[in-house]
Amino acid sequence: IARKEPQNPEERLVVRGISCISREGVKLLDDITFTARSGEILGIAGIAGSGQRELLEAIAGLQHLDKGEILYNNPKTKGVDNLRDKTPMQIRELGVRLSFVPEDRLGMGLVGSMDIVDNMMLRSYRGGHSLFVQRKEPKDLAQRIISELEVVTPNANTPVRRLSGGNVQKVLVGREIAAAPTVLMAAYPVRGLDINSSYMIYNLLSQQKENGVAVIFVGEDLDVLLELCDRILVIGGGRVTGIVDARSATKEQIGLL
């Protein structure tokens, strides 16, 4: 995986001391603090179920926090916004594009019974001004994603659930990147994909990094994390057990953390 040095990194997202407790009283996140910078990929490593999902959902406004703050340095206004306890819609209206590629693609990211064009519109339908839904832009976007990411589908009007896992993932990642995010969060974006599709997604994430996006990548494969990321945050049992430089870290070091 080709990894370039980060260019002019700036602090984009500062997470300070966030904690959240489940209904059963279990600590899902325990005093997590880190910084995500623009123009770099921050990897998150850890055994599945260590709090990775809750952490990304907290940043995206989908998970309630009991304490801590999530500060977003807005590149447009140059101001600082606290994202904690804002709804996902408010977070988007602030100009924060937390593009989220969740683990559960069809349950959380796309609607299986709708076609590719309609799934593109899930992001933009609130932007319409007339009684009738504008279909041209979503249709153009769907065609662009199909051709650029080589999505194997009879056409843009095929229900998403009929596509293979890899093609579903390309549609989802393509749509999120098309939203021109400043922060892109991807949870297990290559799970279940073949090697060609996986590398296409790694290259897309690297391109976003070069465009000055702060990329947060949750992965299971330590080889990939070490090759793709600039820094790796290791999480265990809902706590940060270490943050290492991916260029010099070893698998043994991350395994021990």
Side-chain angles (χ1 to χ4, degrees):
I1 301 170
R3 171 174 52 195
K4 294 187 176 171
E5 287 289 333
Q7 299 294 320
N8 313 320
E10 291 173 14
E11 293 192 348
R12 183 64 65 235
L13 203 63
V14 181
V15 175
R16 281 197 201 131
I18 64 170
S19 297
C20 91
I21 297 166
S22 71
R23 290 198 186 104
E24 294 78 36
V26 179
K27 268 202 167 177
L28 300 172
L29 299 175
D30 187 3
D31 196 29
I32 286 191
T33 299
F34 68 91
T35 302
R37 302 187 188 117
S38 62
E40 77 163 18
I41 299 180
L42 174 69
I44 299 182
I47 296 163
S50 299
Q52 299 95 317
R53 181 175 184 156
E54 288 79 10
L55 174 60
L56 296 198
E57 288 182 358
I59 298 171
L62 301 168
Q63 174 79 46
H64 169 73
L65 291 175
D66 294 291
K67 65 171 199 180
E69 54 185 6
I70 300 169
L71 301 176
Y72 169 74
N73 294 317
N74 195 322
K76 285 192 180 128
T77 62
K78 303 296 180 197
V80 178
D81 299 300
N82 190 355
L83 305 187
R84 182 184 164 183
D85 293 333
K86 284 191 166 56
T87 65
M89 219 62 209
Q90 287 170 320
I91 289 174
R92 284 198 65 210
E93 279 159 12
L94 274 173
V96 181
R97 287 307 181 99
L98 294 174
S99 291
F100 191 36
V101 181
E103 294 174 66
D104 180 7
R105 297 164 203 151
L106 283 175
M108 203 168 165
L110 299 168
V111 179
S113 57
M114 294 189 343
D115 65 23
I116 299 175
V117 176
D118 286 344
N119 272 291
M120 295 299 135
M121 284 162 56
L122 291 177
R123 266 284 189 211
S124 60
Y125 71 98
R126 282 171 187 264
H129 301 292
S130 67
L131 188 62
F132 299 100
V133 179
Q134 303 290 329
R135 294 186 68 89
K136 187 180 182 319
E137 280 180 29
K139 190 163 189 182
D140 292 347
L141 175 60
Q143 293 294 0
R144 204 173 86 220
I145 288 172
I146 288 168
S147 64
E148 284 180 16
L149 301 189
E150 298 165 13
V151 176
V152 179
T153 174
N155 54 48
N157 302 110
T158 303
V160 167
R161 63 159 185 260
R162 291 201 189 150
L163 307 183
S164 69
N167 290 302
V168 168
Q169 194 70 311
K170 288 178 188 175
V171 169
L172 182 53
V173 174
R175 183 191 72 193
E176 296 301 346
I177 287 174
T182 52
V183 179
L184 175 71
M185 300 192 295
Y188 311 108
V190 297
R191 184 181 273 171
L193 300 195
D194 61 84
I195 195 86
N196 287 340
S197 303
S198 298
Y199 272 86
M200 185 173 274
I201 303 263
Y202 299 147
N203 290 335
L204 282 173
L205 293 176
S206 294
Q207 264 172 353
Q208 291 302 298
K209 163 186 151 176
E210 286 169 39
N211 295 345
V213 175
V215 180
I216 300 175
F217 173 82
V218 179
E220 292 170 309
D221 190 324
L222 289 184
D223 292 303
V224 170
L225 281 162
L226 287 168
E227 279 192 38
L228 177 72
C229 304
D230 299 290
R231 289 181 304 138
I232 298 173
L233 171 117
V234 187
I235 192 169
R239 295 184 75 102
V240 174
T241 53
I243 298 177
V244 298
D245 182 339
R247 287 172 173 77
S248 57
T250 63
K251 281 207 291 194
E252 289 74 17
Q253 186 186 354
I254 293 175
L256 289 168
L257 287 170

